Amino acid sequence: MTAGTAVSPVEARIRAANTERAGAFVGYLPVGFPDLATSIAGAIALAEAGADVIELGLPYSDPVMDGPVIQRATQAALAGGFRLRHAFEALREITAAVDAPVLLMTYWNPVLAYGVERFADDVVAAGGAGLITPDLIPDEAAEWLAASDTHGLDRVFLAAPTSSDTRLDAAVAASRGFVYTVSTMGITGARADVDSAARTLVARLREHGATNACVGLGVSTAAQVAEILGYADGAIVGSALVAALADGGLDRLTDVARDLASGTAVLPAGR
Amino acid sequence: MSTTDASTRYSQPGPYFGAYGGRYVPEPLVAALDELSAAWEHAKTDPVFQTELADLHRNYTGRPSPLTEVARFAAHAGEARIFLKREDLNHTGSHKINNVLGQALLTRRVGKRRVIAETGAGQHGVATATAAALFGLDCTIYMGEIDTERQALNVARMRLLGAEVVAVKAGSRTLKDAINEAMRDWVTNVATTNYVFGTVAGPHPFPAMVRDLQRIIGDEARAQLLERTGSLPDAVCACVGGGSNAIGIFTAFLDDPGVALYGFEAAGEGVDTPRHAATIGKGRPGVLHGARSYLLQDEDGQTQESHSISAGLDYPGVGPEHAFLADAGRATYRAVTDAAAMEALRLLSRTEGIIPAIESAHALAGALELGRELGPSATILINLSGRGDKDMVTAGEWFDLIDRDAAQS
């Protein structure tokens, strides 16, 4: 398939969610927590509970964008023997079981160490849709831009409230699937209020041509999902799902995911 | 002209040093890095800034630091002539203050009221807390929990200076995790906070800015040695953890083709054991803490834990300019074991009455071997980057110098 002309499966799924409902619910879980089999079952349960897109986190030794909940989970996965090949195993099993497209969320060094081309090959072979790269900005991404084009993979870059107009242009131009809209200045973790900065940033991204802007960081309740989908195309939840899996296993994860997905049911006024 | 060729070949402005460097950071930090880059580009040629900094160097730090010839020590190094650049005599006891004063001035210029920093042994943390006290800035220092236990006196020192010290409990609970936590703080508080980074690693502009602020070491030493001996040294030696004292003394000599540059990494218990910090010697290129450089990592790209008896060299990464100088063949990197460094520490103490930091003792040990290779006609310049007061517990245990009854009473 030729990238650029083909419609990205992530983009198509988010568009469909915006036609049928208020928007998309994007859910994150790390591979290997609390163990490989449960993490795979967890991602499948998450999709079955209503997540439109799955973000599968790749545990990394130095996760500078992550708050305590995700740090604890990914460090436990590493201590439990997580290896890169487990991410591809998980990706293969999850994509075989669910329709929701699956993105790998990974810090950059594991991809570099594996080889960018080889990594892209193996993501495609395992049925993955692409990568979210929290510590790779488009300025440093030449090799990944080329590899993702050749392999027809999505690539999600971040936009922040502090990003200049020039940088928003670059993020929109480089991203395929969606633009990861950082709701607030900070790291992952549940917050009582999702910053009003997110609303402003989504509006700015639209001015710069973004068709899919999903908001993440601090989102943990169905009410927040509904509020975000009033102005954005998707709401991203991570820590709240990881905490549910850690505290109450697959049952608790399913309950929390269903509740979060209910936040997509409400069509906002005027839509 | 060969000098011009050399300068374009080896002097790199950043963000890239050959294939290394860059800015591998989350997007929320980019605006702050851009702001810092612009502020530094302006400050480094601004006479007002340079005058302020020069005044602090002279009247606060005590620069220029002396150049000391150490003949009794050199007798053990093949009779080469050896000179020490005495950064140990700076206020706060190491070269770290050179960088910190510059970045504190810059913090004031960008209108921020709070500084954060990482620290391993505590030297950079103490220097940052010192500058924060001097400039009236709020200060938070991130330090791995293990290091807060190993360096309890430095924790007390920072608190006395008014800093908040946060013991980082994540990951390996050492310097690398302190940097992660400081970056998380910065992402969250970037509107009010400047990150005073301690070495020539990290994302641009830190490798270039810290290099520019530390090059005063080599600039002074080069002039002092020319005045003293009428010629340039045959070799310049420095220890390398992140690499700021080494870059600080190397930079002045990059365009002197006759001057060999040697960086000494920590071999810990041996480079053939898993317990070392020889990043250039045993690592592979990768990305850590915002820059591409050599890195101790496993085949999956997970950062490996380093080991050194010296907390200041106990880091699995290294500054990108060192990676470039190593690949280009301009500088040579060797590794020195814990045991060899401790022997050199004792030798300098007993022959010259100077107790060096264990970090700096790696450069001394490397120079002892180098002197024997180069012979009596050679002149060797060593950056004595810090003093050993902070290391007395470690040295006391290593050499069994502490009377247990006395220590308990």
Side-chain angles (χ1 to χ4, degrees), chain B residues 274-299:
Chain B
R275 290 174 61 75
H276 65 79
T279 306
I280 293 175
K282 301 294 278 189
R284 291 180 289 126
V287 165
L288 176 68
H289 295 144
R292 188 164 189 276
S293 186
Y294 280 87
L295 173 62
L296 296 178
Q297 56 181 321
D298 70 12
E299 60 181 294

Side-chain angles (χ1 to χ4, degrees), chain A residues 1-17:
Chain A
M1 109 183 172
T2 312
T5 55
V7 175
S8 126
V10 170
E11 177 150 9
R13 184 69 177 228
I14 294 171
R15 295 270 41 95

Side-chain angles (χ1 to χ4, degrees), chain B residues 37 41 93 99 110 128 139 142 159 179 181 186 216 223 229 245 282 289 304 330 368 376 388 392:
Chain B
S37 299
E41 284 306 309
N99 167 47
V110 297
T128 305
C139 179
Y142 290 94
R159 287 181 176 148
I179 294 175
E181 205 56 36
W186 204 27
I216 190 169
T229 70
N245 90 82
K282 301 294 278 189
H289 295 144
Q304 289 175 318
R330 179 63 189 95
L368 286 172
M392 282 308 98

Side-chain angles (χ1 to χ4, degrees), chain A residues 61-63 83 109 140 163, chain B residues 16 23 27 184 287 300 303:
Chain A
S61 51
D62 296 275
R83 303 306 307 258
N109 197 52
E140 305 285 1
S163 300
Chain B
Y16 300 101
R23 300 195 297 180
E27 175 67 23
R184 293 185 188 108
V287 165
D300 281 358
T303 309

Side-chain angles (χ1 to χ4, degrees), chain B residues 169-207:
Chain B
K169 296 175 171 61
S172 60
R173 296 181 290 144
T174 59
L175 176 58
K176 137 186 128 54
D177 307 283
I179 294 175
N180 293 339
E181 205 56 36
M183 286 206 177
R184 293 185 188 108
D185 181 315
W186 204 27
V187 170
T188 308
N189 300 302
V190 67
T192 59
T193 299
N194 193 26
Y195 185 0
V196 177
F197 200 69
T199 189
V200 289
H204 182 73
F206 291 117

